């Protein structure tokens, strides 16, 4: 704020919502002993409301349910799974980056998933188990009539199946996955992550 300036500033923090206005009563003092000028003034609080935003755990305690949805990128930018530098390279001695992400994220979020069933999707590739062109949203489960898998082990199996049965393609078009997840979430009235 500047001298003789009146403005309103909105304050949004994790727990506080309000507005503050600096009023015109700003006075500038003369410098003494080589010190810089100091401005003094008044701040008037126009409206103030303390709002507690619930934490993730508080939502769960209140009865909210979540279901995990996972989408795997099968675009060519990941590199063919037969090549050593591929992000989809399956090596029995170590997990690739996708397997690590499934393990790390899944092991945490499945603790909060109500039924431990996970919708497994792929995008940006050509699934060899479907006859259409490059797909921007497809299921990567072994059984096409079952779109969900059970738990972390099921997630890893579905990912492995997807890598073995999908030709990398493109483009990276993620919107259909988000739209599908929103449709599922609206239909089930659940929180999907």
């Amino acid at each position: 704020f500047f001298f003789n300036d009146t403005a309103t500033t909105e304050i949004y923090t994790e727990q506080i919502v309000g507005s503050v206005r600096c009023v015109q009563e700003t006075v500038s003092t003369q410098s003494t002993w080589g010190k810089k000028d100091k401005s003094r003034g008044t701040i008037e609080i126009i409206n103030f409301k303390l709002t507690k935003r619930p934490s993730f755990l508080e939502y769960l305690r209140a009865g909210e349910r979540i279901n995990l949805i996972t989408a795997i990128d099968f675009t060519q930018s990941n590199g063919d799974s037969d090549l050593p530098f591929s992000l989809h390279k399956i090596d029995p001695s170590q997990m690739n980056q996708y397997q690590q992400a499934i393990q790390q994220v899944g092991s945490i979020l499945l603790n909060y998933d109500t039924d431990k069933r996970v919708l497994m999707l792929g995008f940006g590739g050509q699934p060899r188990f479907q006859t259409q062109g490059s797909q921007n949203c497809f299921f990567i489960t072994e059984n096409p009539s079952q779109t969900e898998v059970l738990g972390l082990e099921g997630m890893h199996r579905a990912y492995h199946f997807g890598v073995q049965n999908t030709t990398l393609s493109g483009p990276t078009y993620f919107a259909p996955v988000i739209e599908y997840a929103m449709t599922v979430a609206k239909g089930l009235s659940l929180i999907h992550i």
Side-chain angles (χ1 to χ4, degrees):
F1 299 111
F2 299 100
F3 181 69
N4 285 334
D5 185 23
T6 300
T8 299
T9 302
E10 297 294 323
I11 300 172
Y12 294 99
T13 67
E14 188 174 324
Q15 307 226 351
I16 299 172
V17 177
S19 60
V20 175
R21 182 176 71 178
C22 181
V23 293
Q24 298 177 0
E25 300 172 19
T26 304
V27 179
S28 185
T29 60
Q30 296 295 327
S31 68
T32 55
W33 297 85
K35 296 181 181 177
K36 293 182 179 180
D37 290 347
K38 294 183 180 181
S39 294
R40 308 230 192 276
T42 304
I43 295 178
E44 175 184 345
I45 297 177
I46 307 258
N47 125 8
F48 183 80
K49 179 181 177 184
L50 181 62
T51 304
K52 173 105 171 72
R53 294 187 181 160
S55 70
F56 178 69
L57 289 176
E58 288 169 327
Y59 275 113
L60 294 176
R61 286 185 195 120
E64 250 346 296
R65 298 177 358 196
I66 68 167
N67 278 6
L68 181 60
I69 296 176
T70 302
I72 305 295
D73 179 358
F74 287 106
T75 57
Q76 288 178 330
S77 61
N78 288 290
D80 190 290
S81 62
D82 294 331
L83 299 174
F85 60 84
S86 172
L87 296 179
H88 287 302
K89 176 73 176 167
I90 303 291
D91 181 349
S93 66
Q94 64 182 15
M95 290 185 178
N96 65 34
Q97 291 180 13
Y98 279 93
Q99 291 168 313
Q100 290 174 25
I102 289 169
Q103 182 69 34
Q104 292 168 0
V105 175
S107 66
I108 293 169
L109 293 181
L110 278 170
N111 290 316
Y112 304 103
D113 191 305
T114 54
D115 62 3
K116 310 293 187 234
R117 301 194 67 74
V118 180
L119 183 62
M120 293 294 291
L121 302 172
F123 67 95
Q126 168 55 55
R128 292 190 280 270
F129 45 92
Q130 294 180 2
T131 57
Q132 302 158 323
S134 178
Q135 297 292 308
N136 295 310
C137 183
F138 54 91
F139 301 111
I140 58 171
T141 55
E142 296 172 275
N143 182 349
S145 66
Q146 292 194 328
T147 58
E148 295 178 314
V149 298
L150 185 59
L152 201 52
E153 186 179 320
M155 293 174 71
H156 280 291
R157 265 196 325 273
Y159 168 71
H160 195 265
F161 174 81
V163 168
Q164 289 179 326
N165 294 285
T166 304
T167 302
L168 302 184
S169 187
T172 304
Y173 188 50
F174 196 61
V177 171
I178 294 172
E179 289 166 2
Y180 184 77
M182 288 171 44
T183 301
V184 170
K186 286 178 185 175
L188 297 175
S189 297
L190 300 172
I191 296 175
H192 286 264
I193 299 175

